[in-house]
Structure formats: C-alpha cells, structure tokens
Amino acid sequence: MTIAWYSNFRLLWGSHFLSVLSSMIIAPLLPFYMEQLGAGSQASVLLWSGLSLTAPAVSAALTAPLWGRLGDVTSRKWMVVRALAASACVLAAMGFASTPFQLFILRFLHGAIGGVVDAVGAFAASEAGRGEQGKV
C-alpha cells in the first residue's frame, strides 16, 4: 500500500463519518421537530418520526443494487462523490421542509440517492491491496 492510499483512506473515513453524523444526529430530536412542523397529536408525531427514521434505510436497501452496478460500470470513486453531493443537497433541503410529509419524502430521497456507506465501503475495498482489504 502506498502513502497515497492512507491519505485517501483518511479522507474517506472523515467524509463517511460526517455524512453519517449529519444524517443521524436528527434521530433524538426528530419528535420535537415533527411537533414544530405541525404533526398534530402525539400519535401523529410518533408516526411521522418513525416513518422518517426508517425511510432512508428502506429506500437505500431498494436502490443499493442500482448504485453498486453503476459503480462497477463507471467508477467507484465517482459513486462516492455522487453520494456525498446528493446527501449534501438533500440534507440542505431538509432544512426547508415545512410539513412532516415533506421531511419524510426528503429522508426517503436521501436514502435513495445517497448511499454513502455502500459507496465508501466499495471504494475503500477496491483501493486497498490484496492483503489489506479486510482491514479497511
């Protein structure tokens, strides 16, 4: 492994950490946010919070094969760039959501077009040397 690989790995790790942190830091605050968005009753707040927390995982599971195939055909590096850029755009749009439904749709979209975890994992494994792939 070259020194360039280590700097790439640090950059991948940092971007992956920030991406996951930015998308999951909302979890403990989501019920309060849903209440501010006008979800209504306590049951409605809990329903929209639960749906919004599960939406990215469900949509990511549905679209992961598509992004994996596209990464195999094009470039895993560009899949990381695409995933980070898409995540940043959707996370920024979440700040402008004015209803619980809009936030739910944006969270679903975040999972569908994001896929940072999968993209970073695939790229890191493909860049590592033969004996080092398990470590990354």
Side-chain angles (χ1 to χ4, degrees), residues 23 51-52 54-63 67 82-83 85-94 101-116:
S23 65
L51 289 173
S52 295
T54 58
V58 170
S59 61
L62 296 173
T63 59
W67 297 125
R82 177 212 47 86
S87 291
C89 290
V90 173
L91 286 170
M94 281 184 209
F101 181 71
Q102 288 175 353
L103 185 65
F104 167 74
I105 293 297
L106 287 168
R107 298 246 331 146
F108 189 85
L109 187 63
H110 182 249
I113 65 174
V116 174

Side-chain angles (χ1 to χ4, degrees), residues 47 65 131:
L47 175 68

Side-chain angles (χ1 to χ4, degrees), residues 1 10 30 40 42 68 73 75 83 101 106 114 124 129 132-133 135:
M1 289 177 32
R10 281 190 221 120
L30 196 56
Q42 185 69 19
V73 171
S75 165
F101 181 71
L106 287 168
E132 304 293 325
Q133 288 178 338
K135 292 179 184 176

Side-chain angles (χ1 to χ4, degrees), residues 19-63:
S19 174
V20 171
L21 177 70
S22 65
S23 65
M24 294 311 297
I25 200 154
I26 194 173
L29 305 172
L30 196 56
F32 302 111
Y33 191 48
M34 286 297 180
E35 194 172 17
Q36 292 294 318
L37 290 177
S41 68
Q42 185 69 19
S44 182
V45 167
L46 293 176
L47 175 68
W48 282 113
S49 296
L51 289 173
S52 295
L53 282 174
T54 58
V58 170
S59 61
L62 296 173
T63 59

